[in-house]
Amino acid sequence: MDLLNSREWALVIWFSVAILCITFLPKAVDIKKSMIEVVKAFFAKSLMVIYGLLLFYLFGVVYFLNDLGLWESHQLKNTIVWLTTVGVFSLFQINKIKEDRNFFKRAILDNLKLIAVIQFFVGIYTLHIVAELILLPFLFFITILVAFSERDKEHARVHSLLNGILSFFGLLLVAYFIYGLFTNFGEVAKENTPYDFFTPVILTVFYTPFLFFMLVYSVYEVTFVRIKYFIKSKWMRGFFKVLAVIVFNYRIELLERWASSLVHVNTESFRSIIYSMYEVFKFRKAEKATHNVPKNEGWCPYTAKDFLKGEDLNTGYYHRSFEEWFASSEMVEFGGGIIPCNITYYVEGIEKKAEKLKISINVNDESMIDIALEKLVKTSTTLFEKALGENIPDNILHDIGKGDEISIQYKGKQLSLIKSYWPEHRLGGFDIKLELSNT
């Protein structure tokens, strides 16, 4: 295997050119300062410890694979490339990994998908260095434009065109690979080719335990900082840190849930904190064994919180907040523009019963009212289907679509739509709240 192929040399050359421009061009002073700050942050002392652990772990994995005959010295370049891309990049994706329960499964499967196989073999047949030097910045520029155009629906046609350009060049590279396959099959049939393909896959598989350990560690680190503000007693804080590790161990979701509940707990009472840990498991058990709530009384809260999951309004867990119980989604932006609208879904009630379902939309610019009402109609339709088991009547849907205020009794429930304009708001902003509750 050559040290670098023409595509990799093109990448090195362009990267070097970018570094030189940032370093010596007077107009790039601000970029240079920003880059220096990024580099300093990247090599912070706390991160250097993590990098050291990663290198130590990777060395152990490579040594083990070498003993099994699954890794040889000619794979050093592929291993370094994997380390500086997948290995390091994944460390900075810890928060996203925590939210994506299927990350580890998908990370492995993505390496084995047909598209990954095609990308690998296309990479075997690279173009002449001059062609690579021309093509690389062009495709990079197009990719950046695709990312920006994807953010706004107004640029949908441009986004589609740019995606078409990328697809066209992708097909050209596949065609070039097929041509090379017939004219120079020996390049693919090398003894090292299986190693080149499977080494990144195997490294990813063995990397997942380390990544999971770092995920658990990072959550505990943040949680222990949080409980410092709740539990003032030093000895109690130390005791509950140890107990949290024993009780929750790798179940970080339960750990975070317990830490969040401390705001409602008498943290000067040893017994109260112990009971707060017990409650976490109690509520978790209740969520798994969802119970029926009579229709005239409300809804099962653990079912109701997922009513709008299909609309990308995912709530957190249903929990106590002082004397009330509720679950809410994050504010989800929609509509594009400089100040987009946002929508939130709430479930409110008591411990074992949800009594109110609420959709709240903030319209930050009155000119976006049509888009906001369209979103309200869509989510209201889904909420009716899930909460009442039937389609929303046309007359009610018509009133919602117009943004008219509503206050009616329907099927034993109170349906309300309230629109409130914000005083002296420069863009005429307002909020719309649709509530479905027990009478």
Side-chain angles (χ1 to χ4, degrees):
M1 173 186 287
D2 295 332
L3 181 61
L4 296 173
N5 60 36
S6 60
R7 190 164 299 156
E8 291 163 344
W9 274 118
L11 185 61
V12 169
I13 291 169
W14 277 114
F15 183 76
S16 301
V17 169
I19 294 296
L20 288 172
C21 289
I22 292 171
T23 304
F24 296 107
L25 288 179
K27 292 183 179 180
V29 172
D30 291 337
I31 299 176
K32 181 181 177 180
K33 288 180 180 179
S34 299
M35 287 293 294
I36 291 172
E37 292 302 317
V38 169
V39 170
K40 284 182 180 179
F42 187 82
F43 291 104
K45 287 183 179 179
S46 57
L47 290 178
M48 292 301 291
V49 174
I50 296 174
Y51 300 150
L53 288 173
L54 174 56
L55 286 172
F56 181 77
Y57 181 81
L58 183 60
F59 178 81
V61 169
V62 168
Y63 184 84
F64 175 69
L65 293 175
N66 183 254
D67 269 359
L68 294 178
L70 297 175
W71 190 94
E72 293 186 2
S73 57
H74 58 74
Q75 285 304 304
L76 182 60
K77 186 191 84 169
N78 283 338
T79 303
I80 292 173
V81 170
W82 178 90
L83 172 65
T84 55
T85 53
V86 176
V88 174
F89 180 74
S90 296
L91 288 174
F92 292 95
Q93 298 292 307
I94 287 291
N95 288 332
K96 290 184 179 179
I97 292 170
K98 183 177 66 175
E99 296 168 3
D100 185 358
R101 296 183 179 182
N102 296 316
F103 172 83
F104 296 106
K105 178 181 177 181
R106 195 178 64 252
I108 296 168
L109 293 178
D110 281 353
N111 283 278
L112 298 172
K113 285 180 179 177
L114 179 60
I115 187 65
V117 177
I118 292 172
Q119 287 172 343
F120 169 76
F121 283 108
V122 167
I124 293 176
Y125 290 108
T126 55
L127 304 172
H128 188 274
I129 183 65
V130 175
E132 293 287 353
L133 284 169
I134 296 171
L135 199 59
L136 192 63
F138 174 75
L139 292 179
F140 177 77
F141 180 68
I142 294 295
T143 303
I144 294 295
L145 291 179
V146 167
F148 276 100
S149 63
E150 190 178 18
R151 296 182 178 183
D152 199 328
K153 290 182 178 180
E154 292 180 4
H155 302 142
R157 290 185 179 180
V158 177
H159 181 71
S160 178
L161 174 64
L162 294 171
N163 267 328
I165 293 172
L166 285 180
S167 299
F168 173 73
F169 277 96
L171 290 172
L172 283 182
L173 289 174
V174 171
Y176 181 69
F177 159 68
I178 294 172
Y179 169 77
L181 189 65
F182 284 102
T183 58
N184 190 13
F185 181 73
E187 191 70 21
V188 177
K190 287 180 179 179
E191 181 183 350
N192 295 344
T193 301
Y195 284 97
D196 292 341
F197 178 72
F198 283 108
T199 293
V201 179
I202 295 171
L203 289 175
T204 301
V205 171
F206 279 91
Y207 185 48
T208 51
F210 177 82
L211 205 56
F212 183 71
F213 169 78
M214 292 308 305
L215 171 61
V216 173
Y217 173 80
S218 67
V219 172
Y220 270 97
E221 185 178 38
V222 172
T223 300
F224 287 166
V225 170
R226 288 177 65 191
I227 67 174
K228 183 179 179 181
Y229 297 98
F230 295 117
I231 305 175
K232 302 300 182 182
S233 170
K234 190 174 181 180
W235 78 265
M236 282 178 63
R237 191 163 61 243
F239 174 83
F240 282 108
K241 283 181 180 180
V242 174
L243 187 61
V245 174
I246 295 171
V247 170
F248 299 115
N249 43 74
Y250 63 88
R251 293 170 291 190
I252 53 178
E253 183 184 350
L254 298 182
L255 172 71
E256 291 182 312
R257 188 165 182 171
W258 169 68
S260 297
S261 72
L262 290 177
V263 70
H264 310 298
V265 174
N266 177 12
T267 51
E268 293 181 359
S269 166
F270 189 87
R271 176 179 286 185
S272 295
I273 301 175
I274 289 288
Y275 187 73
S276 70
M277 287 185 164
Y278 162 74
E279 278 193 321
V280 169
F281 290 95
K282 173 187 171 184
F283 298 143
R284 181 67 169 173
K285 184 178 179 181
E287 288 174 0
K288 291 183 176 180
T290 53
H291 53 278
N292 292 322
V293 174
K295 287 185 177 181
N296 62 327
E297 294 183 14
W299 302 268
C300 171
Y302 308 115
T303 302
K305 73 184 186 67
D306 293 331
F307 280 167
L308 295 183
K309 208 169 186 178
E311 302 292 336
D312 294 325
L313 292 171
N314 300 310
T315 70
Y317 51 84
Y318 189 70
H319 62 286
R320 180 174 53 211
S321 176
F322 300 102
E323 299 301 320
E324 299 179 345
W325 286 72
F326 83 102
S328 66
S329 71
E330 293 183 352
M331 285 186 177
V332 177
E333 293 184 344
F334 66 93
I338 298 174
I339 310 177
C341 304
N342 58 68
I343 181 170
T344 312
Y345 172 53
Y346 299 90
V347 178
E348 301 172 2
I350 56 178
E351 180 179 346
K352 295 183 179 181
K353 183 170 61 178
E355 298 176 321
K356 181 187 292 184
L357 312 177
K358 181 167 66 177
I359 298 170
S360 178
I361 294 180
N362 292 321
V363 184
N364 297 301
D365 184 342
E366 192 173 17
S367 65
M368 303 285 287
I369 186 170
D370 290 338
I371 294 173
L373 291 175
E374 183 181 344
K375 185 73 170 179
L376 182 62
V377 165
K378 190 172 185 296
T379 50
S380 300
T381 301
T382 303
L383 185 63
F384 251 73
E385 290 173 356
K386 298 289 186 179
L388 300 179
E390 61 181 65
N391 294 328
I392 188 168
D394 290 339
N395 62 316
I396 296 177
L397 194 63
H398 178 264
D399 290 341
I400 293 173
K402 289 172 60 181
D404 292 341
E405 294 203 349
I406 300 171
S407 181
I408 60 171
Q409 298 281 329
Y410 182 80
K411 300 284 185 178
K413 305 293 182 186
Q414 176 69 32
L415 176 65
S416 305
L417 191 147
I418 303 168
K419 183 162 63 173
S420 304
Y421 278 90
W422 304 331
E424 300 180 5
H425 191 268
R426 187 165 56 89
L427 298 176
F430 61 94
D431 59 68
I432 308 175
K433 291 182 175 67
L434 184 136
E435 296 180 0
L436 189 62
S437 58
N438 283 337
T439 55

